C-alpha cells in the first residue's frame, strides 16, 4: 500500500491535500493532486474544497515544471468540474481557471504540433503531452458547457484551433480526438461567431476525420460526431446480436464461461487499484460506460453507435442553427407593429414564413451537401426497425437500447427542422423532394401505436412538420396532409405537456388555414380551424401558446370570402371579445414572473393586435349589416 506523504499533516484530508500542493517535491505534488482527484468524486467534500480555494491552488500546477503534476492537476480539475456540476463550473470560472487552462493548452499545442527535443524519448514525451491535453480538453469542455463567460473566453482566445489540432490526432490517439469532438460539439451550440470563424483549414480537418477508414466503433463514434451518419443502426444491432450469440455458443462449447467470470473479477480489482492512486478518469459518455460488463462487448459497440449518431445529429442541429427565436421564446416576427389599416395585408403576405433562414458559409453549405447530410438525416427520422426492436425486447440487457433508438429518431426530426430552415429548395432536392418528405412525415405522424406518442416525439415531429409547411406554403407547393389529418395531429400536440409542441401545433394549423383561406369551398374546414384556435387561445395555461393561437387567428381570418363566412358562423368576433379581458388579466398576473422580456414584448404586440383585429372584425360586421339594411 502506498504511504500517503501528506499523512503526517494534521486536519481534514482536504486541508492536508491542499497543503501538499505547495511541496517542493514533484512526487508529493503529484500525489496531492491524485488524492484530490479521488476525494472530489464524493460530492459532499466538494464544498469544503471550494471554501479552501482549491481551484486557485490547483490552477498554477497546470503549468508545473513536472509533466506528471500537470496531468494529475488537470485530472483533479476535470473530476471537480464533472462531479460538481454547473455551480462548481461557475465557481471555477469565477476563480479564473481559464487563464492557466488556456495557457496549458497552448503549451500542449506546441508539443502536439512539433518535434520537440528532450532528454526523454520523443514518443514518451508526445504521449505525456497528449495525456495532459486530454485532461485539459475535458476541463475546457465542462466549463464551456456550463458557463457563458468561459465560452466567451473560448471564442476570444481562438481555442477552437487547439481543439481542432487535438481532433486531428484521431489516427494515433482516439481518446484525445473523441474528447475534442465532444468539446467541439458543445462549444458550437448557439455560437454563431464560432461557426462563422471556420475557415477552409478547419473544414479540411473535419473532412479528414470523415473520410478516414472506420475500422472500429471508436473511429465511427468520432466520425459521427463530426457528421457521418451512414451506419444503419438496426442492421448493426442485428449483426452484433448474432456475433454475441456466436461468441457465447463457442464459449459454452469450450467451457470458458468460468474463466470469463474470473477475468471480470480481475478487471474489477484492477479498477479499484487504479482508483486508489487517484488517477481515475471519469468518462462523461455514460451511455457507453464501463458499467456494461466486458463480456457484452457487442452491447457496448451498439451503445457507442447510438450515442455517436445522437450526438452527430445534435452537432448538425448546432451547425444549422439560425437566429430564429426558439419555440419557447416564440416568434417575434409574427406579431409586429403593423398599422391598423394594413393588418390583413401584412399578415397574409407573410405566407406562413415565421423563420429567417441562416446564410450558411459556402464551406459549411458545401460540406452539408457533399456529404449528403440531408439524405442521411432523412433516413434517421424513420422509426427503429421492427427487427432491432424485437431483438432488444427479448434480451433483458439489450432493452435499455430501445429508448436510445427512439432518441436518435427524435434528434433527427429536430435536425430536419433546422436543415429545412437554412437550405434553399434546390439544395433540398426541389419540389418533388419536399412532397416526398411530406409524405414520409405523414407516415411517421400517423403510424399506429399501442401507447400514446411521447411528448419528445410530438415536439420533434411537430417542429419538422411546421418547418416543411412554412416552406411549402411560402412557395405555393401543394400540401400532402388533409385538413382533417392536420387537425388530428395538432389535437394530439395541444394535449402535450410540452409547450414547444403546442406552439408548433397552432402554427401548423395557422399555416394550413392561411392556405385554405385563399381557396374556394373551404369554409367548413376553416370553421374547424377557427374553433380549434379559439379553444387553444382561451384555455391553454401558457400565454406563449395562447398568443400563438391568436396570431394564427389573425393570419387565417384577416381576409377572404371563405374566412369571412367561417368567422361569422363561429361567431369569431364575440369569442375574441370574451378572450381579450382574460388574456390581458393573465399578462398582468403572470407576465413578469413567468416570461422573459422578449416574450413579454411579443405578447404585448399580440394584445395590441387583438384590439386592432376586434376593431377590424367589428367594422366588417357593421358594414355587412348596413349592406343588408340598404337592400331591405
Amino acid at each position: 500500500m502506498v504511504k500517503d506523504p501528506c499523512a503526517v499533516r494534521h486536519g481534514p484530508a482536504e486541508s492536508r491535500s491542499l497543503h501538499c500542493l505547495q511541496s517542493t517535491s514533484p512526487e508529493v505534488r503529484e500525489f496531492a493532486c491524485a488524492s484530490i482527484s479521488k476525494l472530489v468524486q464524493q460530492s459532499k467534500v466538494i464544498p469544503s474544497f471550494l471554501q479552501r480555494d482549491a481551484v486557485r491552488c490547483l490552477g498554477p500546477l497546470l503549468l508545473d515544471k513536472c509533466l506528471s503534476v500537470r496531468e494529475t492537476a488537470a485530472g483533479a480539475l476535470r473530476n471537480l468540474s464533472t462531479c460538481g456540476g454547473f455551480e462548481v463550473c461557475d465557481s471555477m470560472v469565477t476563480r479564473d481557471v481559464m487563464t492557466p487552462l488556456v495557457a496549458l493548452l497552448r503549451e500542449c499545442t506546441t508539443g502536439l504540433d512539433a518535434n520537440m527535443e528532450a532528454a526523454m524519448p520523443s514518443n514518451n514525451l508526445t504521449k505525456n503531452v497528449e495525456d495532459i491535453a486530454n485532461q485539459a480538453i475535458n476541463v475546457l469542455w465542462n466549463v464551456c458547457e456550463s458557463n457563458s463567460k468561459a465560452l466567451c473566453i473560448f471564442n476570444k482566445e481562438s481555442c477552437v484551433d487547439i481543439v481542432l489540432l487535438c481532433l486531428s490526432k484521431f489516427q494515433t490517439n482516439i481518446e484525445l480526438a473523441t474528447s475534442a469532438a465532444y468539446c467541439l460539439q458543445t462549444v458550437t451550440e448557439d455560437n454563431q461567431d464560432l461557426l462563422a470563424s471556420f475557415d477552409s483549414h478547419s473544414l479540411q480537418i473535419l473532412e479528414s476525420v470523415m473520410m478516414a477508414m472506420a475500422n472500429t466503433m471508436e473511429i465511427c463514434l468520432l466520425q459521427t460526431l463530426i457528421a457521418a451518419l451512414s451506419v444503419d443502426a438496426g442492421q448493426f444491432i442485428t449483426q452484433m446480436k448474432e456475433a454475441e450469440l456466436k461468441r457465447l455458443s463457442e464459449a459454452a462449447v469450450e467451457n470458458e464461461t468460468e474463466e470469463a467470470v474470473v477475468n471480470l473479477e480481475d478487471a474489477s480489482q484492477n479498477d479499484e487499484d487504479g482508483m486508489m492512486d487517484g488517477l481515475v478518469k471519469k468518462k462523461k459518455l455514460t451511455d457507453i460506460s464501463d458499467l456494461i460488463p466486458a463480456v457484452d462487448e457487442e452491447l457496448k459497440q451498439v451503445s457507442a453507435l447510438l450515442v455517436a449518431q445522437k450526438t452527430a445529429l445534435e452537432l448538425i442541429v448546432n451547425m444549422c442553427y439560425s437566429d430564429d427565436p426558439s419555440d419557447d421564446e416564440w416568434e417575434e416576427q409574427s406579431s409586429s407593429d403593423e398599422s391598423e389599416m394594413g393588418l390583413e395585408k401584412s399578415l397574409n403576405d407573410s405566407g406562413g414564413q415565421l423563420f429567417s433562414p441562416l446564410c450558411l458559409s459556402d464551406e459549411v453549405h458545401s460540406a452539408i451537401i457533399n456529404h449528403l447530410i440531408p439524405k442521411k438525416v432523412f433516413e434517421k427520422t424513420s422509426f427503429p426497425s421492427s427487427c432491432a426492436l424485437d431483438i432488444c425486447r427479448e434480451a433483458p440487457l439489450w432493452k435499455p437500447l430501445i429508448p436510445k433508438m427512439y432518441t436518435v429518431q427524435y434528434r433527427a426530426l429536430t435536425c430536419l427542422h433546422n436543415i429545412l430552415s437554412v437550405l434553399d429548395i434546390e439544395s433540398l432536392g426541389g419540389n418533388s423532394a419536399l412532397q416526398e418528405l411530406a409524405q414520409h412525415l405523414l407516415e411517421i405522424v400517423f403510424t399506429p401505436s399501442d401507447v400514446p406518442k411521447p411528448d419528445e416525439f410530438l415536439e420533434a415531429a411537430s417542429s419538422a412538420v411546421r418547418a416543411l409547411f412554412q416552406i411549402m406554403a411560402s412557395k405555393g407547393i401543394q400540401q400532402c396532409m388533409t385538413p382533417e389529418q392536420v387537425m388530428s395531429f395538432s389535437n394530439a400536440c395541444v394535449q402535450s405537456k410540452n409547450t414547444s409542441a403546442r406552439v408548433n401545433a397552432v402554427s401548423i394549423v395557422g399555416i394550413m388555414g392561411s392556405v385554405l383561406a385563399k381557396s374556394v369551398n373551404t369554409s367548413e374546414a376553416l370553421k374547424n380551424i377557427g374553433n380549434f384556435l379559439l379553444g387553444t387561445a382561451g384555455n391553454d395555461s401558457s400565454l406563449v401558446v395562447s398568443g400563438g393561437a391568436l396570431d394564427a387567428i389573425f393570419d387565417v381570418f384577416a381576409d377572404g370570402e371563405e374566412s369571412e363566412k367561417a368567422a361569422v358562423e363561429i361567431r369569431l368576433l364575440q369569442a375574441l371579445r370574451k378572450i381579450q379581458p382574460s388574456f390581458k388579466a393573465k399578462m398582468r398576473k403572470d407576465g413578469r414572473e413567468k416570461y422573459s422580456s422578449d416574450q413579454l414584448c411579443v405578447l404585448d404586440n399580440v394584445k395590441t393586435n387583438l384590439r386592432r383585429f376586434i376593431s377590424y372584425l367589428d367594422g366588417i360586421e357593421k358594414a355587412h349589416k348596413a349592406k343588408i339594411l340598404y337592400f331591405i
Side-chain angles (χ1 to χ4, degrees):
M1 182 176 178
V2 179
K3 183 179 179 181
D4 184 348
C6 303
V8 295
R9 307 286 179 186
H10 298 289
E14 304 95 281
S15 297
R16 298 200 308 270
S17 297
L18 291 173
H19 181 85
C20 288
L21 293 178
Q22 312 303 320
S23 172
T24 57
S25 167
E27 291 80 8
V28 174
R29 296 197 300 274
E30 179 183 357
F31 193 94
C33 290
S35 298
I36 294 172
S37 182
K38 176 184 175 183
L39 287 169
V40 296
Q41 293 178 67
Q42 307 170 43
S43 57
K44 63 183 180 181
V45 306
I46 290 178
S48 177
F49 271 111
L50 293 179
Q51 289 172 4
R52 291 174 169 83
D53 215 3
V55 176
R56 292 189 190 277
C57 295
L58 286 166
L61 297 184
L62 292 176
L63 301 172
D64 197 278
K65 294 180 180 180
C66 176
L67 293 182
S68 59
V69 173
R70 291 187 178 195
E71 182 181 358
T72 49
L77 288 170
R78 174 183 179 178
N79 281 4
L80 182 62
S81 59
T82 299
C83 300
F86 291 166
E87 292 183 1
V88 171
C89 288
D90 286 341
S91 178
M92 290 174 66
V93 175
T94 301
R95 287 170 167 80
D96 197 29
V97 74
M98 291 296 289
T99 297
L101 181 62
V102 172
L104 171 62
L105 285 166
R106 292 205 183 285
E107 289 196 16
C108 288
T109 302
T110 304
L112 293 170
D113 206 23
N115 295 321
M116 297 177 63
E117 298 284 340
M120 66 176 70
S122 60
N123 60 336
N124 289 339
L125 178 59
T126 300
K127 179 67 168 60
N128 287 341
V129 171
E130 289 181 353
D131 288 345
I132 294 169
N134 184 49
Q135 297 288 5
I137 286 289
N138 274 275
V139 178
L140 185 66
W141 171 16
N142 287 344
V143 294
C144 287
E145 186 175 40
S146 306
N147 185 276
S148 58
K149 182 181 177 181
L151 191 59
C152 289
I153 296 172
F154 182 98
N155 289 351
K156 182 180 178 181
E157 298 293 334
S158 299
C159 292
V160 67
D161 296 333
I162 301 171
V163 175
L164 287 170
L165 179 60
C166 294
L167 180 64
S168 69
K169 301 299 176 182
F170 69 95
Q171 295 284 18
T172 56
N173 193 326
I174 189 65
E175 184 179 1
L176 173 61
T178 302
S179 297
Y182 271 97
C183 183
L184 185 64
Q185 187 259 338
T186 293
V187 298
T188 53
E189 184 174 358
D190 299 349
N191 193 346
Q192 291 300 304
D193 292 339
L194 177 60
L195 290 175
S197 72
F198 273 38
D199 55 18
S200 57
H201 176 67
S202 303
L203 293 169
Q204 285 173 2
I205 294 176
L206 300 181
E207 186 171 11
S208 68
V209 178
M210 289 190 285
M211 300 305 292
M213 289 293 293
N215 50 12
T216 67
M217 267 303 112
E218 286 81 7
I219 290 289
C220 190
L221 165 62
L222 181 63
Q223 289 178 327
T224 51
L225 283 172
I226 303 307
L229 292 166
S230 302
V231 180
D232 185 323
Q235 186 178 8
F236 187 70
I237 286 173
T238 302
Q239 293 171 349
M240 288 295 98
K241 191 61 181 176
E242 290 174 354
E244 181 193 55
L245 292 173
K246 180 180 178 181
R247 175 177 53 77
L248 293 176
S249 176
E250 291 174 353
V253 171
E254 298 173 10
N255 197 24
E256 293 179 352
T257 304
E258 183 177 349
E259 181 181 348
V261 173
V262 172
N263 290 338
L264 275 177
E265 293 174 350
D266 291 341
S268 177
Q269 182 61 46
N270 289 337
D271 285 345
E272 292 180 10
D273 293 339
M275 288 182 64
M276 290 301 292
D277 65 11
L279 297 176
V280 176
K281 300 177 181 178
K282 187 263 184 188
K283 293 183 180 179
K284 291 184 69 171
L285 304 183
T286 54
D287 291 347
I288 52 171
S289 71
D290 293 333
L291 295 175
I292 300 175
V295 292
D296 292 322
E297 183 62 29
E298 295 83 5
L299 180 56
K300 291 179 70 176
Q301 292 282 298
V302 175
S303 295
L305 175 63
L306 293 175
V307 171
Q309 292 190 342
K310 177 181 78 72
T311 312
L313 290 164
E314 291 170 351
L315 177 60
I316 300 169
V317 166
N318 295 338
M319 290 177 64
C320 297
Y321 170 78
S322 73
D323 290 328
D324 176 38
S326 70
D327 290 331
D328 287 339
E329 293 182 356
W330 197 33
E331 290 73 23
E332 294 184 37
Q333 302 97 319
S334 60
S335 270
S336 55
D337 297 326
E338 298 91 349
S339 67
E340 189 170 339
M341 292 296 292
L343 176 65
E344 63 272 21
K345 182 178 186 300
S346 61
L347 286 170
N348 279 330
D349 284 352
S350 69
Q353 187 89 355
L354 300 181
F355 63 90
S356 302
L358 170 70
C359 293
L360 297 174
S361 69
D362 291 340
E363 292 87 352
V364 173
H365 184 277
S366 297
I368 289 174
I369 301 303
N370 293 340
H371 291 287
L372 305 177
I373 297 303
K375 178 178 180 293
K376 293 173 181 177
V377 170
F378 174 85
E379 292 169 351
K380 300 304 174 190
T381 61
S382 298
F383 283 105
S385 74
S386 57
C387 181
L389 288 173
D390 289 341
I391 288 173
C392 294
R393 289 189 185 109
E394 293 171 4
L397 285 177
W398 289 56
K399 271 189 177 181
L401 295 178
I402 294 176
K404 295 177 185 178
M405 285 190 278
Y406 280 106
T407 297
V408 169
Q409 182 200 23
Y410 305 156
R411 295 297 183 276
L413 287 166
T414 302
C415 190
L416 179 61
H417 165 266
N418 280 30
I419 287 176
L420 289 170
S421 299
V422 299
L423 295 183
D424 54 40
I425 291 182
E426 289 69 26
S427 298
L428 293 168
N431 291 6
S432 59
L434 290 179
Q435 289 179 326
E436 180 185 351
L437 174 58
Q439 188 62 41
H440 174 71
L441 290 177
L442 184 64
E443 293 173 1
I444 290 175
V445 166
F446 291 103
T447 296
S449 176
D450 296 334
V451 295
K453 291 183 170 65
D455 286 348
E456 192 174 3
F457 169 81
L458 292 174
E459 178 187 8
S462 61
S463 69
V465 171
R466 173 187 177 182
L468 183 61
F469 267 42
Q470 288 170 342
I471 292 176
M472 297 179 78
S474 67
K475 301 299 181 181
I477 303 172
Q478 185 176 359
Q479 305 282 2
C480 291
M481 280 192 187
T482 66
E484 292 75 20
Q485 289 172 326
V486 169
M487 295 305 299
S488 175
F489 177 54
S490 297
N491 270 309
C493 290
V494 295
Q495 304 302 319
S496 168
K497 294 180 180 178
N498 185 287
T499 302
S500 295
R502 305 201 305 274
V503 169
N504 288 334
V506 297
S507 179
I508 291 168
V509 171
I511 295 168
M512 173 63 79
S514 298
V515 173
L516 292 175
K518 299 172 185 176
S519 306
V520 296
N521 300 322
T522 57
S523 61
E524 285 300 317
L526 288 170
K527 285 165 57 178
N528 292 332
I529 286 173
N531 286 325
F532 170 85
L533 293 173
L534 285 170
T536 305
N539 299 319
D540 200 280
S541 59
S542 169
L543 278 173
V544 171
V545 181
S546 297
L550 289 170
D551 245 350
I553 289 173
F554 306 156
D555 258 344
V556 175
F557 295 96
D559 194 17
E561 291 183 8
E562 295 295 324
S563 61
E564 285 185 14
K565 180 181 177 181
V568 171
E569 294 190 21
I570 65 174
R571 297 176 59 82
L572 179 63
L573 175 59
Q574 292 75 12
L576 290 177
R577 280 176 172 161
K578 289 182 179 179
I579 290 173
Q580 186 180 31
S582 63
F583 185 79
K584 292 167 66 175
K586 273 187 180 179
M587 283 190 64
R588 286 194 299 268
K589 179 183 177 183
D590 301 331
R592 298 191 182 280
E593 292 183 5
K594 296 184 178 179
Y595 302 98
S596 68
S597 57
D598 287 340
Q599 288 173 327
L600 287 174
C601 182
V602 177
L603 290 168
D604 193 57
N605 284 334
V606 173
K607 182 178 68 173
T608 300
N609 280 344
L610 177 58
R611 174 179 54 79
R612 293 172 177 172
F613 194 69
I614 288 174
S615 178
Y616 164 74
L617 290 177
D618 189 47
I620 291 177
E621 186 171 290
K622 287 179 180 178
H624 184 66
K625 288 179 179 178
K627 187 176 180 180
I628 293 174
L629 290 173
Y630 175 80
F631 284 106
I632 292 175

